[in-house]
Amino acid sequence: MAHLRRSRKRNCFDPLSLAARIAPPFVHQDFTAVKTRFAPSPTGVLHLGSIRTALFAWLHARHFGAKFVLRIEDTDRERSTKENVTAILEGLAWLGLDYDEGPYFQTDRYDRYNEVIEEWLTKGKAYRCFCSREELDAVREQQQRNGEKTRYNGKCRELDLGDSAEPHVVRFRNPRDGEVVVEDLVRGRVVFQNAELDDLIIRRSSGDPTYNFTVAIDDFDMQITHVIRGDDHLNNTPRQMNMLEALDVPLPKYAHLPMILGVDGAKLSKRHGAVDIRDFRQQGYLPAAMLNYLARLGWSHKDQEIFSVDEMIGLFDVSDVNSSPSAFDPEKLRWLNQQHLIAMPVAELASVLEPYLVAEGYDLSAGPAPALVAEAYGKRATTLTELAQKCRYCYQDFDEIDQVAAKKNLRPVVLAPMNDLRERLQVLESWSRDGIAEAIESCAAAHGMKMGKLGQPLRVAVTGESVSPPIDITLELIGRRRSVDRIRHAITLIEKRVAAD
Ligand code: GLU
């Protein structure tokens, strides 16, 4: 019986035993191919830490031209929600972390889990436990009083008690002796003593299988060769390895990624931006910049900071991941986002910018084309949202001119040249940046002023602010009607000032 023989070779897939054991749809053709997975629990949304885990597993797969699996671990039925599944799928889609298989849902796989549990019960690899909650509580309290590690005392382990119709859980018969060695690709060798591991519950009395068990079964069935996940799961690894041993199958390789901390060294929380990854989209970050930033949290290649996704795929190796925690620095993320914005071709920037312009409430038919805005403002903002907000005056009128700017620039001395310029602009043949620049220049010359002396009051008049792209381009984008109206309004303000003096 080939499939019952014990696999001696660890970390090496054995076609015979696999082929004999895997029920469809998990029959694999290529047993040596790298395959990774991302296995979020939909008990929460995707935050930076989980996305970084997904990214590293994805990069590892893509680097090897291998498959990436999405598995939704939803056996905690009370805390898993559809909204969180949606958040996970949307977050991955936004970032372009595509998967080749899945999403699998663990709740669809109960038949498979029960099949293994029944087999293990028959073979004595698992046992039914009828201990009541009160009994377990009493044991735990006693252990606490004795200063011992709290754990199941193994009462039902050696007894063949009870009737399976009575309420019970099923526990895994964890080996009592020996050690489990995890050769972690990031952490190196980590050794666990079996004596320290409990006989884990693998099926609750509700019938729901539990985390460590389902993960082990799934990683095997789905032919995962590299389990890449957060190091909060490192302590689970020996338990999962023991279960894979009980299945008598090869083990995957493990890579446990260090935590992401806040810049203050504290665990990443909402305060630091450990929020729904979709919030970063709303704030105007580019997927490529997010991925670049997250990859650099723990991974590096020489002293390079800016990577395209393709470059990361080419260079990524999970064994290069640093084993110490890294810190989330929002300032650096903004900087990187700006670098990606700057490097983006205008047409591409225009198309990603458009929804942000719409989200600001702009009527795009009553303002400049997004490509013009992308060209003029693309290097001036750190996020798409900031970019969209910076060009508000191109699409919408403003109520008030910035007071400090007005006081400084809209002075009686510019009254005559502004009046003159308004007339020149009104009759300008074609509303183009060159024509506009020429009009400003000749008007300034006619009044014996330097171009800048007229340009800045003009800027304040048409934008309400003192900073904008070059004035000829700014006017071109704002359009003739709005520009002339705003100059007229500024003239009225100056006239009032003259009258008040
Ligand atoms: N479902 C687990 C989690 O969301 C991950 C399990 C794993 O990657 O093995 O934390």
Side-chain angles (χ1 to χ4, degrees):
M1 297 260 283
H3 66 283
L4 290 182
R5 87 191 142 78
R6 216 167 150 66
S7 169
R8 295 269 161 240
K9 263 194 185 165
R10 312 265 300 247
N11 289 333
C12 163
F13 281 71
D14 174 350
L16 273 181
S17 74
L18 293 180
R21 283 171 166 272
I22 304 169
F26 296 110
V27 176
H28 229 245
Q29 299 307 313
D30 181 357
F31 299 107
T32 54
V34 167
K35 199 170 177 191
T36 68
R37 63 11 172 230
F38 176 49
S41 304
T43 49
V45 296
L46 282 186
H47 51 75
L48 287 174
S50 32
I51 282 292
R52 205 256 325 237
T53 300
L55 172 62
F56 283 8
W58 182 84
L59 284 173
H60 191 77
R62 294 296 173 251
H63 177 82
F64 287 100
K67 287 199 168 154
F68 177 61
V69 175
L70 176 62
R71 181 170 80 221
I72 306 286
E73 304 204 320
D74 56 348
T75 56
D76 182 346
R77 299 206 209 200
E78 273 174 21
R79 292 171 55 232
S80 297
T81 67
K82 275 206 181 91
E83 291 70 28
N84 288 334
V85 172
T86 305
I88 291 167
L89 299 180
E90 284 184 0
L92 292 174
W94 173 55
L95 291 167
L97 298 179
D98 56 344
Y99 37 90
D100 309 286
E101 280 182 31
Y104 296 120
F105 289 83
Q106 289 189 322
T107 46
D108 289 342
R109 293 185 29 83
Y110 278 26
D111 286 352
R112 169 64 174 147
Y113 304 138
N114 284 326
E115 175 189 285
V116 176
I117 288 175
E118 293 313 319
E119 188 187 320
W120 282 4
L121 284 169
T122 312
K123 292 183 175 163
K125 293 180 176 184
Y127 60 92
R128 295 189 176 87
C129 171
F130 295 87
C131 293
S132 65
R133 170 122 318 275
E134 294 72 35
E135 263 179 283
L136 295 173
D137 287 348
V139 167
R140 200 184 43 248
E141 279 159 26
Q142 183 63 47
Q143 288 169 337
Q144 277 166 346
R145 273 197 298 277
N146 297 348
E148 291 166 16
K149 191 174 170 198
T150 58
R151 53 188 298 154
Y152 177 56
N153 65 358
K155 179 180 162 199
C156 295
R157 182 178 165 113
E158 307 308 339
L159 306 168
D160 191 11
L161 278 177
D163 177 334
S164 60
E166 287 171 35
H168 65 273
V169 300
V170 175
R171 288 183 187 272
F172 176 63
R173 192 185 297 273
N174 199 78
R176 283 255 157 101
D177 311 312
E179 54 188 30
V180 183
V181 179
V182 184
E183 297 287 358
D184 194 274
L185 293 172
V186 173
R187 306 280 301 242
R189 189 184 177 88
V190 189
V191 180
F192 295 86
Q193 299 303 322
N194 272 323
E196 294 288 309
L197 304 175
D198 227 340
D199 279 357
L200 277 193
I201 294 176
I202 56 175
R203 187 170 65 198
R204 297 197 182 89
S205 53
S206 63
D208 287 310
T210 58
Y211 166 70
N212 280 295
F213 170 69
T214 54
V215 166
I217 305 298
D218 287 355
D219 283 340
F220 165 62
D221 278 357
M222 296 171 192
Q223 298 305 286
I224 303 304
T225 59
H226 293 75
V227 170
I228 299 172
R229 61 184 169 198
D231 67 3
D232 47 333
H233 287 293
L234 182 60
N235 286 336
N236 289 322
T237 302
R239 307 171 200 281
Q240 294 171 18
M241 287 168 73
N242 280 338
M243 292 193 204
L244 288 164
E245 284 284 334
L247 273 181
D248 194 11
V249 298
L251 304 178
K253 290 186 162 68
Y254 292 93
H256 287 92
L257 309 173
M259 297 235 289
I260 302 178
L261 305 174
V263 264
D264 53 3
K267 192 166 178 274
L268 205 59
S269 69
K270 281 224 163 84
R271 188 163 53 87
H272 301 101
V275 287
D276 188 341
I277 195 74
R278 293 175 301 179
D279 293 351
F280 289 94
R281 173 188 210 169
Q282 212 218 337
Q283 289 163 23
Y285 288 93
L286 295 166
M290 286 307 300
L291 296 181
N292 184 168
Y293 180 74
L294 289 173
R296 289 284 293 105
L297 286 183
W299 173 79
S300 59
H301 175 71
K302 302 185 180 152
D303 53 4
Q304 188 172 338
E305 287 291 357
I306 300 166
F307 295 87
S308 69
V309 175
D310 284 343
E311 270 180 301
M312 291 192 285
I313 290 174
L315 294 168
F316 186 79
D317 185 335
V318 76
S319 7
D320 290 341
V321 172
N322 197 309
S323 60
S324 44
S326 35
F328 171 60
D329 177 357
E331 279 313 308
K332 187 163 172 202
L333 172 61
R334 284 186 93 82
W335 174 81
L336 253 184
N337 201 57
Q338 182 165 30
Q339 303 312 307
H340 280 264
L341 283 174
I342 290 171
M344 219 174 194
V346 168
E348 204 181 315
L349 178 57
S351 83
V352 295
L353 176 64
E354 192 166 326
Y356 291 84
L357 297 174
V358 172
E360 289 299 319
Y362 305 159
D363 174 1
L364 298 189
S365 65
L372 291 175
V373 174
E375 184 197 12
Y377 294 82
K379 297 184 177 31
R380 298 178 161 259
T382 55
T383 66
L384 291 166
T385 306
E386 194 188 320
L387 201 167
Q389 286 166 355
K390 270 191 194 292
C391 63
R392 181 175 303 280
Y393 50 74
C394 295
Y395 296 94
Q396 292 179 344
D397 287 329
F398 48 86
D399 295 332
E400 270 186 45
I401 295 179
D402 175 75
Q403 293 217 340
V404 178
K407 194 159 179 237
K408 184 160 171 222
N409 295 284
L410 302 182
R411 290 181 299 138
V413 57
V414 295
L415 185 56
M418 287 284 265
N419 252 320
D420 184 5
L421 182 63
R422 179 183 57 80
E423 279 167 23
R424 289 172 191 251
L425 292 175
Q426 214 155 6
V427 297
L428 199 64
E429 213 163 282
S430 88
W431 190 255
S432 68
R433 59 189 68 175
D434 290 347
I436 294 167
E438 221 179 277
I440 301 171
E441 210 162 338
S442 50
C443 178
H447 292 266
M449 303 168 88
K450 285 202 175 132
M451 184 161 165
K453 289 276 178 223
L454 183 55
Q456 191 59 7
L458 179 59
R459 170 173 289 115
V460 172
V462 296
T463 69
E465 300 165 14
S466 49
V467 181
S468 83
I471 190 63
D472 48 344
I473 298 177
T474 307
L475 259 76
E476 184 188 56
L477 296 189
I478 290 173
R480 189 196 309 256
R481 187 189 54 77
R482 281 196 175 116
S483 298
V484 169
D485 283 354
R486 290 174 191 175
I487 295 170
R488 190 176 288 126
H489 175 68
I491 288 170
T492 317
L493 292 180
I494 302 172
E495 282 168 352
K496 278 192 191 149
R497 204 163 154 181
V498 171
D501 281 350

